[in-house]
Every structure is written in C-alpha cells, then in structure tokens.
Amino acid sequence: MAIRITRDGDDGIEELTVGNEIIGRISEEPIYVTKPNLPPLEKLYPSLVAIWNRKILTNGGPFHQEFEMKLAEFLRVKHVNLFANATLALIVGLEALRISGEVITTPYSFVATTHALQWNGITPVFCDIDPQTMNIDADKIEALITPRTTAIMPVHVYGHPCETKKIQSIADRYGLKVIYDAAHAFGVTMNDRNLLLEGDMSILSFHGTKLFTTFEGGAIVTKDSTLKKRIDFLKNFGFADEVTVVGPGINGKMNELQAAVGLLGLEIVGDEIVKRRSIAQTYRSCLDLVKGIATFEPPGDVSYNYSYFPILVDEEEFGVSRDEVYERLKECNVFARRYFYPLISNMPTYRGLPSASKENLPIANEIASRVLCLPIYGELELRDVRLICDCIRNIAAGRP
Ligand SMILES: *Cc1c(COP(=O)(O)O)cnc(C)c1O
C-alpha cells in the first residue's frame, strides 16, 4: 500500500499515512543540525550607525576593544585575543608559543585542529580517544612522546571537558606545552576550575555553526600578559609598533562588525544554553529507552553548554547502521551531521602519517563510524525534538 503525506493543518507537521494508519509525522520545514543564534536585528542598527560614523572598520577599533574586555569578563579569564576565525587563532597560537617538531593531538575533531599544526610545519601525532568522553585518551599520550615532542593539543569535543589534570601532569613531567582547541567549549565551566584557563592557551570559535557566533570569528584565551602581547603582534602582521616587525605575523584581526555582533551575542547566549538544555533533556528522555542508541551526559561537576547532541548508533542492537539512520532521517526532513566523520587520520592529506594507522586508533575509528549529531539549537521546538525521536524509533522498527 502506498505511503501518503497528508497535511495536518497549519502546525508545520505533516503526517505519513499508509491506508488509514498514521505511521509517522515529519516537519514540513527542513530541520538542520543547527541554526545560528542571532541578536535582534534592531539592536545591531545603532552599532552599524556608530561604525559608519567613525569610519573605523578594523585594526583594533572601539568595538574590538570593548568586546575583548567584555568577553574576558564574561568568561572570567585574564586575557582574550580576538581573531577573524578560530583556524587563524590556532595557527597563531602555536607560533606564539614557538611550538615545533611533533605535537600529540586527537584525530577525532574538525580538520582545522590538524591543519593548524601542518601550517606551522609541525608533525601531528595522533592519539586514540576515550570512548566515554570521545576526547583524547590521556592514558595513551605518554607512549607517543618522543624527543621531538613539544606540545599536546587536545580538543574539548562537543564541549565535554578533557582530563585536564592528567594531561597537565604529563605535560609538566616532560616539559610540554598544552594548547586546547576549545572551539566547542564556550561557556562550559567545571566546579572549581575554569576550563578555558587549563593548559597554556585555549582557542574558541565563533563560526556561524557554533553556540556563540560572530558570523566568523575566534579567540585565544591566555593567562600570561607577555603571551597576550606577542599574539597581538602576530595577528597584526607581527607589528610591535609602526616600524618594528617582531615575528612572522599574519592578518588574523577580527573586524568591527564581527565585534559588534559579538557584544550583542553576550546578552543572548545564556538564554540559548537554557533552551538547549531542555532540548537535550527531551532527547534523552525519548531516546534513552531505544535499544542501540547511546546518548551522553557530561559529569555532574560540569556546567555544560549543550553545543551538540551526539548519539552513537550500535548497528547490531539498533538493527540499522549509522549511515542508514543519517539517510533515513533526511526522509523525515531532518538533516543530522556525522561529526566527526571521516576521522582526520583517514583523510588523504594525513593518512600517510605513521600515527594515522587504524591499529593505533581503534576507538576513534569505531566512534567515527557510529556517531551522529542530532539537531540542537534554541529555536528548535520540543515538538520537533519528539518528531525526530519518533523518526528514529520508526527506523529501528523497520517502518517505511
Ligand atoms: C569549528 C572548529 C574549528 C575551526 O573554527 P573556525 O572558526 O571555523 O576557523 C576548529 N576546531 C574545532 C574543533 C571546530 O569545531
């Protein structure tokens, strides 16, 4: 019997029917994995007027200065260096700390983490991940240290904190720097420790897909004023003053428009996190009983930002592979994302590295083949979250 789609009034939901039986409900509008959280447009207008009147567009203008200060206050950190994007911030951060040789990092991240090493002429050394947190497995770092190792670059994947104490103690023992890719960790705090103050520096991303956005943007968080100054020089072509260039600088500056958006973003990010928390709770309550679907919850001492909602699909238990779930969700008008797949270590650019072998990275390879990030953003209605869960359950039940 044919599957029919019947419109269900004006509520934005369509019903899938076989004969008289409703077998599923889907959203009329496509649901993407995220939607940027933007301040009200009318609030931006006065900032635009100010920029047009001042004619100061970049180079550390008034909005840049104000945002740098307010962001540091908001995050309760000492120093913030704003950037045009996080990839430039990662590249400059490594140069600022004069990292060279080999750096131990995770293959389970967005590719920019490894690219930043490559752009600095550093050899990435991939370390396997912990299946509980999907972050670098701190117990496997030490075995990868060689005389050429100068630093560790972990990622707080999905904003879940790495084992920062363990990582620091290894770094201290071997005299290594620690650079955290904290692109997902905006606003995440641990009980008595500020996550962004762990290690030598942390890098944030404000890309449009991130929890907190300036369209494109990023920042380096540091505790050391000398380092902060060196980063300021490096992101501005290396200029220490009008005539002195002190390093191989680059143009990494955030512009005034981005900074103006960022200032307004600070007013709305708190609400966004609250809304996302209830979305995550709804997902968990409707998926936790589904066999073969695992969800994640950060430890109790972590105040989480709900930047992503990853699930792991166990093909044997669930009956359907991750890739099939991903494709079948599209039929429900739901566009999830396979973050992170493929693994960086399996990409043609990096798969030739000795540490990129599958034998070295069994857990990362396993997780990358099972993970799926479901839509999560403040405007996502709980009704739609339930539709997504229904769709997943129907896939498991083998319904069309
Ligand atoms: C988004 C992201 C980046 C890159 O950020 P951009 O601001 O887009 O350059 C780096 N690392 C991770 C883990 C990311 O998710």
Side-chain angles (χ1 to χ4, degrees):
M1 208 180 285
I3 301 169
R4 287 186 308 115
I5 296 179
T6 53
R7 278 193 194 279
D8 182 25
D10 306 325
D11 65 354
I13 295 177
E14 292 176 335
E15 289 178 344
L16 296 179
T17 54
V18 176
N20 290 329
E21 192 197 358
I22 299 169
I23 57 160
R25 288 150 61 81
I26 63 174
S27 166
E28 275 173 30
E29 293 293 323
I31 299 175
Y32 297 106
V33 73
T34 192
K35 202 184 248 189
N37 180 33
L38 296 175
L41 187 53
E42 61 275 14
K43 283 208 159 188
L44 185 63
Y45 190 67
S47 309
L48 295 178
V49 172
I51 293 171
W52 258 249
N53 285 341
R54 285 198 287 256
K55 306 280 189 292
I56 297 174
L57 310 183
T58 184
N59 286 10
F63 282 139
H64 181 286
Q65 286 182 29
E66 187 184 348
F67 182 37
E68 215 165 70
M69 198 185 69
K70 296 242 167 92
L71 182 59
E73 270 172 30
F74 184 91
L75 298 171
R76 291 179 296 115
V77 300
K78 228 169 175 175
H79 301 294
V80 166
N81 290 87
L82 298 175
F83 274 84
N85 60 63
T87 305
L88 282 165
L90 284 163
I91 290 171
V92 169
L94 290 162
E95 171 62 34
L97 287 168
R98 298 183 169 85
I99 306 299
S100 63
E102 295 175 1
V103 169
I104 298 169
T105 188
T106 173
Y108 191 76
S109 179
F110 181 62
V111 68
T113 312
T114 305
H115 281 345
L117 297 170
Q118 192 72 23
W119 275 81
N120 277 279
I122 295 163
T123 306
V125 174
F126 295 118
C127 179
D128 208 2
I129 62 171
D130 176 334
Q132 300 308 315
T133 62
M134 298 182 269
N135 288 326
I136 196 166
D137 186 340
D139 293 329
K140 293 184 178 154
I141 292 173
E142 209 162 349
L144 298 169
I145 296 174
T146 76
R148 295 189 68 230
T149 310
T150 58
I152 307 167
M153 191 156 78
V155 181
H156 301 298
V157 178
Y158 311 125
H160 299 169
C162 291
E163 287 184 281
T164 54
K165 273 188 189 160
K166 241 186 218 174
I167 291 169
Q168 194 60 52
S169 81
I170 297 167
D172 290 344
R173 201 164 341 132
Y174 290 88
L176 308 175
K177 301 282 190 204
V178 182
I179 300 110
Y180 283 102
D181 181 338
H184 300 180
F186 190 99
V188 177
T189 57
M190 294 187 288
N191 247 350
D192 52 341
R193 301 156 77 92
N194 189 335
L195 188 61
L196 296 175
L197 291 178
E198 297 291 330
D200 295 279
M201 61 173 60
S202 294
I203 286 90
L204 293 165
S205 170
F206 311 143
H207 184 257
T209 56
K210 305 299 203 275
L211 169 73
F212 176 89
T213 184
T214 60
F215 290 31
E216 292 268 3
I220 299 182
V221 173
T222 56
K223 294 168 278 194
D224 173 346
S225 55
T226 312
L227 188 55
K228 149 86 175 153
K229 203 174 249 177
R230 181 167 160 79
I231 296 165
D232 276 335
F233 298 157
L234 287 173
K235 80 172 190 191
N236 187 29
F237 308 100
F239 282 111
D241 59 41
E242 216 177 302
V243 291
T244 318
V245 173
V246 295
I250 201 166
N251 182 0
K253 301 183 299 292
M254 175 178 275
N255 69 44
E256 288 289 278
L257 267 176
Q258 291 171 291
V261 171
L263 278 165
L264 296 171
L266 293 178
E267 298 172 12
I268 55 173
V269 67
D271 275 353
E272 174 74 9
I273 293 173
V274 170
K275 286 182 196 154
R276 284 171 180 237
R277 185 192 304 144
S278 69
I279 290 165
Q281 280 163 354
T282 306
Y283 268 132
R284 261 199 293 275
S285 67
C286 63
L287 289 177
D288 276 355
L289 294 173
V290 180
K291 259 181 71 177
I293 299 287
T295 63
F296 288 85
E297 199 161 11
D301 62 347
V302 172
S303 160
Y304 185 47
N305 66 3
Y306 304 92
S307 48
Y308 297 87
F309 195 85
I311 60 169
L312 292 183
V313 181
D314 181 330
E315 183 172 352
E316 252 174 48
E317 272 197 35
F318 189 67
V320 175
S321 73
R322 183 277 312 270
D323 286 339
E324 202 175 338
V325 175
Y326 170 69
E327 293 299 334
R328 293 281 304 279
L329 275 170
K330 291 182 191 168
E331 292 169 16
C332 294
N333 235 355
V334 175
F335 297 84
R337 291 297 296 268
R338 289 169 292 184
Y339 296 141
F340 291 105
Y341 168 86
L343 275 190
I344 301 173
S345 51
N346 292 335
M347 294 177 178
T349 326
Y350 298 113
R351 67 186 172 204
L353 289 168
S355 63
S357 73
K358 294 208 164 83
E359 298 73 57
N360 182 45
L361 307 165
I363 311 283
N365 276 280
E366 165 85 11
I367 300 282
S369 73
R370 289 173 48 194
V371 74
L372 196 60
C373 281
L374 299 180
I376 187 164
Y377 49 87
E379 277 184 29
L380 182 63
E381 292 183 39
L382 296 183
R383 178 197 73 183
D384 288 335
V385 174
R386 291 187 200 103
L387 284 183
I388 295 167
C389 295
D390 286 347
C391 182
I392 291 173
R393 279 194 293 250
N394 280 343
I395 295 169
R399 304 183 88 153

